[in-house]
Amino acid sequence: MGILAIISDLHVDINGLEGASLQRLRDFLFEQGVTHLHLAGDTANTHQKTLQTVAFFQEKIATTFHWGNHEMIDLTGEAEIEDFSAESFLNFRTIALSQETLLLGVNGWYDYGYSDLQNEREIRRLKDLFWYDRQIIRSASDPQISEAINQRLAQTLKQLPRDKRIILATHFVPKKEFIIHHEGEHQRWNQLNAFLGSQSFGNVIDQFPQVTDVVFGHTHRRFASQQIGKTWYHCRPLGYYYEWQLTRDFVFEHHLVEKYRPTKLRTILRQNQTAFMQQKERFLLDEFQRSLTFIPY
């Protein structure tokens, strides 16, 4: 019996997770008896920083990873994005956790299907205006890339033994149940949901009941685990520091805001940096625990 831990959206550089912070997470995982750790994308803003983070955890725990969109910025072409040369990189590759259980990693991508917009040209315009991924150079359009990934996923799953349990880790959202419809001032997100994932990816998974669990992030929203069909879906990304529960508690307890708007908090947190760093030091491990998915195998 072993324990798989998966976490996504660590964003170690944006969140200032250096040294002692990652040490606390690694020590906690070790104390919990975790036998394998998988980092499910957006570990850092560069692939080199991600590799350093993987190596840090590997000092104590077997660790694998795949990319999210943030690491893809400084990768040079499809070969590095989809077939990066590293033993611990899992994209359409499996690792045997036990005789009965395989961990399959897939970067994933998005096809605009979650957007309220139907016009692909308008969606691409919004991407160029607002979305971090505009810096990523890919070989085809986003829907074409996503369709190729979905086809490759189907072929990969067909080739895996039917008598094995498969745990699938990906980065992007595979089911519409994890897409939020926004009202009022946040309605723009109903258009930007275009870049969150692909329902067609989830439809492929539906065809393979041996996939018992799917773990993903990217949305920066945490959800209770949910069974859809025969598969359990787990989404609890760490996200950015200004989105954390400890940050929400901090700004309300110190009466710094009347309404919680995460993207508006960075200036406020800088102005109260000493007190906020004390809050972060005190409650960071709690935040990590809220963001971890543990799966016995």
Side-chain angles (χ1 to χ4, degrees):
M1 177 68 74
I3 300 175
L4 168 67
I6 302 180
I7 191 167
S8 74
D9 299 271
L10 272 173
H11 292 289
V12 296
D13 28 26
I14 293 173
N15 290 329
L17 300 179
E18 303 289 345
S21 296
L22 287 184
Q23 181 77 50
R24 291 175 70 186
L25 175 58
R26 189 177 71 177
D27 289 348
F28 172 75
L29 294 170
F30 190 77
E31 291 163 2
Q32 298 304 303
V34 169
T35 48
H36 193 100
L37 170 65
H38 185 80
L39 305 178
D42 281 8
T43 301
N45 269 3
T46 68
H47 76 280
Q48 286 294 343
K49 188 65 176 177
T50 292
L51 295 177
Q52 292 171 13
T53 304
V54 171
F56 174 81
F57 285 107
Q58 283 177 332
E59 292 175 3
K60 272 199 167 184
I61 304 167
T63 304
T64 51
F65 72 102
H66 58 66
W67 304 131
N69 51 313
H70 276 245
E71 293 100 339
M72 295 179 188
I73 295 296
D74 70 338
L75 296 174
T76 55
E78 292 297 318
E80 284 200 332
I81 291 174
E82 297 295 335
D83 299 294
F84 188 77
S85 179
E87 185 177 354
S88 54
F89 178 67
L90 298 186
N91 186 46
F92 296 107
R93 292 178 52 210
T94 62
I95 188 167
L97 299 176
S98 69
Q99 290 186 342
E100 298 82 18
T101 303
L102 301 176
L103 171 63
L104 169 65
V106 182
N107 295 336
W109 200 239
Y110 43 78
D111 58 13
Y112 305 164
Y114 293 140
S115 178
D116 279 0
L117 290 174
Q118 302 299 315
N119 187 303
E120 186 172 321
R121 183 175 180 180
E122 177 62 13
I123 293 172
R124 291 199 305 268
R125 186 187 73 84
L126 289 178
K127 182 177 180 179
D128 290 339
L129 282 174
F130 297 112
W131 207 250
Y132 183 81
D133 299 4
R134 64 185 179 271
Q135 304 174 70
I136 303 172
I137 299 173
R138 304 219 62 167
S139 62
S141 71
D142 294 324
Q144 289 170 334
I145 292 287
S146 185
E147 177 58 24
I149 287 171
N150 296 342
Q151 291 179 9
R152 189 176 177 187
L153 174 63
Q155 290 302 313
T156 300
L157 290 171
K158 285 177 183 177
Q159 293 168 7
L160 295 178
R162 291 296 180 116
D163 61 345
K164 301 288 187 183
R165 175 194 185 188
I166 298 169
I167 300 169
L168 194 158
T170 188
H171 185 67
F172 298 89
V173 181
K175 287 290 182 180
K176 67 180 184 300
E177 286 82 353
F178 299 93
I179 300 296
I180 301 297
H181 185 80
H182 300 267
E183 303 292 343
E185 63 183 295
H186 301 296
Q187 288 186 64
R188 170 73 74 181
W189 273 100
N190 297 330
Q191 300 173 349
L192 298 178
N193 284 341
F195 315 119
L196 291 190
S198 168
Q199 177 72 21
S200 296
F201 187 98
N203 292 343
V204 173
I205 295 169
D206 292 342
Q207 302 170 36
F208 297 90
Q210 67 267 42
V211 180
T212 62
D213 296 87
V214 177
V215 186
F216 61 98
H218 186 52
T219 176
H220 285 209
R221 288 178 176 269
R222 299 172 192 163
F223 298 81
S225 296
Q226 182 175 348
Q227 188 176 27
I228 303 174
K230 296 185 177 181
T231 302
W232 282 94
Y233 288 82
H234 314 272
C235 178
R236 46 180 64 92
L238 182 65
Y240 300 137
Y241 67 93
Y242 48 83
E243 301 167 320
W244 293 347
Q245 184 63 49
L246 71 83
T247 306
R248 178 191 291 263
D249 294 343
F250 174 76
V251 295
F252 282 128
E253 288 168 5
H254 288 78
H255 307 289
L256 299 175
V257 297
E258 293 184 0
K259 187 174 181 180
Y260 182 66
R261 296 183 175 93
T263 57
K264 305 294 185 181
L265 292 183
R266 283 168 285 189
T267 299
I268 293 172
L269 295 174
R270 282 196 298 269
Q271 292 169 346
N272 297 271
Q273 186 172 15
T274 299
F276 177 67
M277 292 304 291
Q278 292 172 349
Q279 175 90 346
K280 181 179 175 183
E281 173 68 21
R282 184 178 178 186
F283 294 107
L284 181 59
L285 185 57
D286 293 339
E287 204 70 38
F288 283 143
Q289 291 181 59
R290 295 187 189 103
S291 306
L292 285 160
T293 297
F294 294 104
I295 303 176
Y297 61 87

